[in-house]
Amino acid sequence: MSAVTAVGPDNPGFGVYVHWPFCAAKCPYCDFNSHVRHLGVDQPRFAAAFVQEIATTAARAPGREVTSIFLGGGTPSLMEPATVGAILDAIGRHWTVAADAEVTMEANPSSVEAERFRGYRAAGVNRVSLGVQALNDTDLRFLGRLHNVAEARRAIELARATFPRLSFDLIYARPNQRPDAWAAELTEALSLAADHLSLYQLTIEEGTPFFALARAGKLAIPDDDAAADLYAVTQDVTAAAGLPAYEISNHAMPGAESRHNLTYWRYGEYAGIGPGAHGRLKLADGRHATATEKVPEAWLDKVEMWGDGVVVDDVLAREEEADELLLMGLRLAEGIDLARYRALAGRSLDEARLADLLANGMVERLGGSRVRATRAGFFVLDAVVADLAA
Ligand SMILES: C[S@@+](CC[C@H](N)C(=O)[O-])C[C@H]1O[C@@H](n2cnc3c(N)ncnc32)[C@H](O)[C@@H]1O
Ligand code: SF4
């Protein structure tokens, strides 16, 4: 461990993302790299492979000070505490971990998983992100979740008692969801929340059961106007409660933002460990975009044979880096630094396009050198980024 590190917009930090690719059941809306293995998972074998891939990655990118670790999934709370301990110990052996490093774990709120919370805390986890998704049982069933509201409430309570920091996720813009019902649910969520909430609009991902239902006209998802109303409710209710959006889907009291996710959005450096994990490593020849094999058992074979499961390792051109900076940074309420964009791209943003977006109220200037999306711009962010990046 080292002394406390000053991470901020000018020093985005170094994060380590670790992907646990298994779930107890597949939710019908989810296209994350998550797999169900009814015959069980050989955790000691996976733990050894995670440790190996951490060692290999640290040999490529040595000497970093880790400012955050994120155990994501899939469902990382299906890991035994010993598996989590092995992963965190390996990160500490191969890199220096900052004394105030944020160590987050995603957890599902079923009672079985909540029983393991103390073990995760003892292993070094200091922040939990719970996938609550909804606060009514009808919608939880519709979303294919294995927990009910009572279990979610118990998991929130237990997590608050066990970990220094807690966040939970909700999915909104569900079929037939009315703004007043969402406002009431959100108000209840805020009464249960600590200082951070992730609020995701339901997206219909290709290849999922929800995609097939939507195509068959059997899913009454809100149209653009209704979704805009739900989005406005989300912004208003959270801001009034002191947890404004600091990112398009993330809300926190000032100071309680997820440092790991800020590292992504501020376009810092991060290692991706585990099946289907992405990384951005700053090496001698430039910024590398890395990705590992997605299929868990194929990843395992690769790591055991070669030391890592990397299948993509591209050095990004300056233009690509600058586009990624836009894509990530414009998600943030703090926006992007135009001087940093200039330094990466080797040119300024297109003045005419920027002027258009400013005039249309899609982006605004923030101080001398920063630009950010407005509320209207956030709602059509993909189009705003495409316009500026083109
Ligand atoms: C990868 S999941 C991991 C968390 C954990 N497995 C769970 O589901 O509770 C992270 C979050 O992404 C969100 N999510 C996943 N698919 C989504 C979709 N199609 N639309 C909106 N949010 C989604 C959910 O809120 C979920 O909690
Ligand atoms: S939403 Fe979470 S629990 Fe459901 S399949 Fe995706 S990763 Fe697994």
Side-chain angles (χ1 to χ4, degrees), residues 46 92 95 127 166 168 234 245 270 296 306 310 316:
F46 269 92
W95 283 298
R127 181 174 181 272
L166 165 74
F168 62 85
T234 309
Y270 53 95
W306 309 111
V310 172
L316 296 175

Side-chain angles (χ1 to χ4, degrees), residues 23-36 74 143-144 146 208-209:
C23 290
K26 186 84 188 175
C27 304
Y29 53 85
C30 177
D31 80 336
F32 281 81
N33 186 33
S34 63
H35 307 262
V36 178
L143 291 169
L146 298 178
T208 61

Side-chain angles (χ1 to χ4, degrees), residues 267 318-329 341 344-345 347 385 388-390:
Y267 204 37
R318 288 177 75 171
E319 282 286 321
E320 291 174 312
E321 283 191 85
D323 284 350
E324 288 197 338
L325 173 79
L326 275 183
L327 192 70
M328 303 308 269
Y341 178 89
L344 271 184
R347 61 168 177 83
V385 171
L388 280 175

Side-chain angles (χ1 to χ4, degrees), residues 65-84:
E65 184 184 53
V66 176
T67 48
S68 65
I69 299 169
F70 195 100
L71 304 163
T75 305
S77 51
L78 293 176
M79 277 192 267
E80 297 298 334
T83 306
V84 174

